[in-house]
Amino acid sequence: MFAKLCCVLLCSLAVSACQKAPSPPGSADLRVAELAVPDEPQLAQKYARACQTCHSSRASTAPLTGFVPDWQVRLQQGLPTLVTHAREGYKAMPPRGYCNDCSDQDLEALIVFMSSTQRAKE
Ligand code: HEC
């Protein structure tokens, strides 16, 4: 009885873990992440200087730019929390992502950019 219950519990845990695991990005997603930049020139400059290094490559554990599945769970915290995490740092994410002249407004715009679908700009 106990063993059966355990099995049911473990199985349901395994299933929910599978459902939560985001699918890994494909080569097209990685290409978009490498090439996408914000339209607004000043923001593009800050993005290229600060966030892009980590958020455009799988070499980092950072959520990938333009790859929405990486961002979905994080977005559930709400944009204001993400802005706070970006400003103050969060786990392996350094405070302000090394962008000392980024205002909260800039951080918010950068997060909106990175967490939405993008197209590669050549
Ligand atoms: C040195 C590498 C690095 C740089 C530079 C960097 N990030 Fe990150 N960022 C990370 C990593 C790693 C994570 C994942 C942290 C975790 O959840 O373990 C992350 C996560 C985040 C998150 C999600 C936080 C959460 O609550 O889930 C946001 C938002 C974010 N970064 C914004 C930015 C912005 C905006 C910039 C540029 C101003 C930037 N990052 C620059 C490495 C970086």
Side-chain angles (χ1 to χ4, degrees), residues 15-120:
V15 168
S16 60
C18 279
Q19 282 167 343
K20 269 183 207 142
S23 52
S27 56
D29 301 313
L30 288 167
R31 194 175 142 73
V32 166
E34 266 171 35
L35 296 174
V37 281
D39 287 328
E40 208 271 304
Q42 278 201 338
L43 204 65
Q45 201 250 330
K46 287 175 175 163
Y47 173 74
R49 173 156 47 81
C51 328
Q52 192 172 28
T53 323
C54 298
H55 284 269
S56 69
S57 141
R58 273 288 110 141
S60 159
T61 53
L64 202 62
T65 295
F67 186 59
V68 178
D70 268 7
W71 289 93
Q72 253 152 10
V73 176
R74 298 177 189 271
L75 284 170
Q76 283 166 14
Q77 306 174 92
L79 200 49
T81 304
L82 288 183
V83 172
T84 305
H85 286 170
R87 184 179 58 232
E88 290 167 13
Y90 180 74
K91 299 186 192 171
M93 159 76 198
R96 289 190 190 279
Y98 303 137
C99 179
N100 289 326
D101 58 343
C102 276
S103 64
D104 277 13
Q105 226 182 346
D106 291 334
L107 292 176
E108 185 175 311
L110 288 165
I111 294 166
V112 169
F113 161 75
M114 294 200 288
S115 63
S116 49
T117 305
Q118 297 298 330
R119 281 188 307 138

